[in-house]
Amino acid sequence: MKFIVSSTELLKNLSYISGVIAPNPIVPILENFLFELDQNKLVVTASDMQTVMVAELDVNSSDVASIAIPARLLMDTLKSLPEQPITVNLNTDTFGVEIVTSTGRFKITGENPLDFPRPPQVNKNFNIELNSDVLAAAINNTIFATSTDDLRPAMTGVFMDIQSDHTTFVATDGHRLIRYRRNDIQSSTDNRLILPRKALNLLKSSLPSDVVPVVTEFSSSNAFFSFGNIKLICRLIDERYPDYDNVIPKANPYKLIVERSTFLATLKRISIFSNKTTHQIRLKMEPNELTISAEDLDYSNEAVEKIACEFDGEVLEIGFNAKFLSEMLSNLSSSTVMMELSQPNRAGLIVPTSKQDNEDILMLVMPVMLNSYN
């Protein structure tokens, strides 16, 4: 049994789904792609038991067969080939795979496809409609703030609060929090769920640059995404998400407005001189002037720079993690941003002064204790 396919086309589709495969999976069969050939349609599946991705592509064949093929060996082989049609011969009795090119042959030992776990079925409880650009924006604006602490599994994912007139995406690692709200994602029923970071990263890298509809369905334990010829199924995080609304300070009398790109560039320069462990920088706010400074006491390095701003309030000094601030500012598109503050020991809010249609974003960052340098 065989099929003929473009080497580049096959490699492109395998690249979309190869990120699912764990470096050292608990079940050895998961080091493989599952190939399922049904005449002119080839379905390739990758899985790590928690997340499954499927790519469908058209091939030239009249056969029906299935086999598991080692992912790394197949990918490395395809990467080394120039663009050309290749013939893939499958022996379903010995699970042998032979790739025939214009100049050579490559033999790979496959495995029994029956050992490959079947993807979970999504018993649809509800679904939402959204486009790829909206989903990409929601992921890009939140995923960088998720936690990497597996002892707090709920915070390793992005929380979705789906309501009848809007949907809110929330991510936090305990030091910062992102609340990203879309008014163009709606559902007839209210639902709350947590999407895992790995699945969102895979979606982020595989979503097309063109705007296409994304079929999004949910069950009590899984989420299903489908766009173009790619499908992704992931297990939801079954944990209680922190009450994010309670940690957002409501009374913030001090308002700082600053040009975003200037603020970001200055932060990056000043942070070079900050402590490499705390990344602490100091913001001193005065009317019409923002002073940004940092000092590494271990090496006696320090830096200070002043930029123009609009500030309403008494002189205020507050410390922040420069890395967190830079990531937040990098993920905003507004030309100017506003920081809302109250006290040096309370969280600060960052909001864009201009907003895109149908979206609202709020970023919270916790302060760090200021060193005693002047």
Side-chain angles (χ1 to χ4, degrees):
M1 299 181 182
K2 66 179 181 180
F3 63 89
I4 300 171
V5 66
S6 159
S7 60
T8 303
E9 187 68 17
L10 180 58
L11 177 61
K12 181 179 74 172
N13 282 275
L14 295 183
S15 298
Y16 287 146
I17 67 174
S18 61
V20 174
I21 300 173
N24 297 296
I26 298 175
V27 183
I29 190 67
L30 296 180
E31 294 179 331
N32 296 265
F33 291 119
L34 176 64
F35 275 57
E36 296 176 291
L37 176 64
D38 186 1
Q39 297 183 350
N40 290 327
K41 183 71 67 177
L42 176 65
V43 178
V44 186
T45 304
S47 172
D48 68 355
M49 302 293 284
Q50 300 295 317
T51 306
V52 179
M53 284 193 81
V54 179
E56 296 184 4
L57 61 158
D58 294 327
V59 297
N60 185 359
S61 177
S62 59
D63 297 323
V64 176
S66 61
I67 195 169
I69 304 177
R72 181 177 297 179
L73 183 56
L74 178 59
M75 291 279 290
D76 288 346
T77 304
L78 292 172
K79 288 176 183 177
S80 68
L81 293 175
E83 158 59 22
Q84 62 181 296
I86 59 173
T87 300
V88 182
N89 296 314
L90 307 176
N91 189 321
T92 55
D93 295 325
T94 64
F95 307 122
V97 180
E98 183 184 53
I99 300 173
V100 181
T101 70
S102 59
T103 57
R105 297 173 180 267
F106 306 86
K107 291 187 177 180
I108 300 174
T109 301
E111 296 192 45
N112 192 333
L114 297 179
D115 296 333
F116 200 92
R118 310 305 299 178
Q121 298 298 313
V122 177
N123 300 316
K124 183 174 67 173
N125 290 350
F126 71 100
N127 67 289
I128 57 177
E129 297 181 2
L130 73 169
N131 287 331
S132 55
D133 59 333
V134 173
L135 179 58
I139 296 172
N140 290 330
N141 280 293
T142 54
I143 196 168
F144 67 92
T146 56
S147 174
T148 57
D149 184 0
D150 291 332
L151 296 178
R152 298 186 290 182
M155 294 164 64
T156 64
V158 172
F159 178 65
M160 283 186 69
D161 187 355
I162 305 168
Q163 299 186 25
S164 59
D165 58 346
H166 67 267
T167 293
T168 303
F169 299 82
V170 182
T172 182
D173 59 5
H175 302 287
R176 53 189 168 167
L177 181 146
I178 312 297
R179 189 192 70 191
Y180 180 77
R181 183 166 291 162
R182 297 288 311 200
N183 297 322
D184 50 356
I185 305 177
Q186 304 169 355
S187 174
S188 57
T189 57
D190 294 351
N191 288 277
R192 293 170 178 81
L193 50 94
I194 306 174
L195 295 168
R197 180 179 60 249
K198 178 177 179 178
L200 292 175
N201 270 321
L202 290 166
L203 278 174
K204 178 181 175 181
S205 61
S206 57
L207 284 170
S209 56
D210 298 333
V211 177
V212 298
V214 179
V215 176
T216 309
E217 300 173 346
F218 301 94
S219 69
S220 59
S221 57
N222 292 288
F224 174 89
F225 301 88
S226 177
F227 50 93
N229 65 322
I230 303 294
K231 297 176 183 175
L232 182 146
I233 305 171
C234 67
R235 186 176 296 278
L236 300 173
I237 298 176
D238 186 17
E239 296 283 340
R240 182 181 178 85
Y241 202 78
D243 187 355
Y244 64 91
D245 264 335
N246 272 345
V247 303
I248 300 175
K250 303 299 188 290
N252 303 289
Y254 301 136
K255 314 291 185 184
L256 170 74
I257 299 177
V258 64
E259 205 275 327
R260 184 186 66 87
S261 60
T262 301
F263 189 19
L264 178 58
T266 305
L267 269 177
K268 290 181 176 180
R269 282 193 296 272
I270 297 299
S271 65
I272 296 171
F273 294 82
S274 66
N275 182 277
K276 297 304 180 284
T277 301
T278 64
H279 305 287
Q280 178 192 294
I281 54 95
R282 173 184 294 215
L283 303 183
K284 183 179 180 181
M285 288 158 254
E286 302 174 85
N288 303 320
E289 188 174 82
L290 172 63
T291 303
I292 306 170
S293 59
E295 183 178 59
D296 188 346
L297 297 175
D298 294 334
Y299 297 97
S300 299
N301 298 326
E302 62 178 288
V304 61
E305 194 168 336
K306 297 181 179 182
I307 60 175
C309 72
E310 296 178 30
F311 180 66
D312 180 18
E314 301 174 358
V315 175
L316 177 67
E317 292 189 54
I318 186 168
F320 288 113
N321 183 307
K323 180 182 176 183
F324 292 163
L325 275 184
S326 295
E327 284 183 329
M328 291 176 168
L329 292 171
S330 296
N331 280 276
L332 293 174
S333 58
S334 175
S335 60
T336 57
V337 295
M338 176 187 292
M339 290 192 72
E340 300 181 6
L341 305 156
S342 58
Q343 299 295 329
N345 61 350
R346 296 194 63 190
L349 302 181
I350 303 174
V351 294
T353 56
S354 60
K355 300 177 181 179
Q356 302 292 326
D357 292 341
N358 296 313
E359 74 173 14
D360 180 71
I361 185 166
L362 179 146
M363 298 182 170
L364 177 149
V365 59
M366 298 299 296
V368 295
M369 184 176 296
L370 284 170
N371 291 328
S372 58
Y373 71 90
N374 292 310

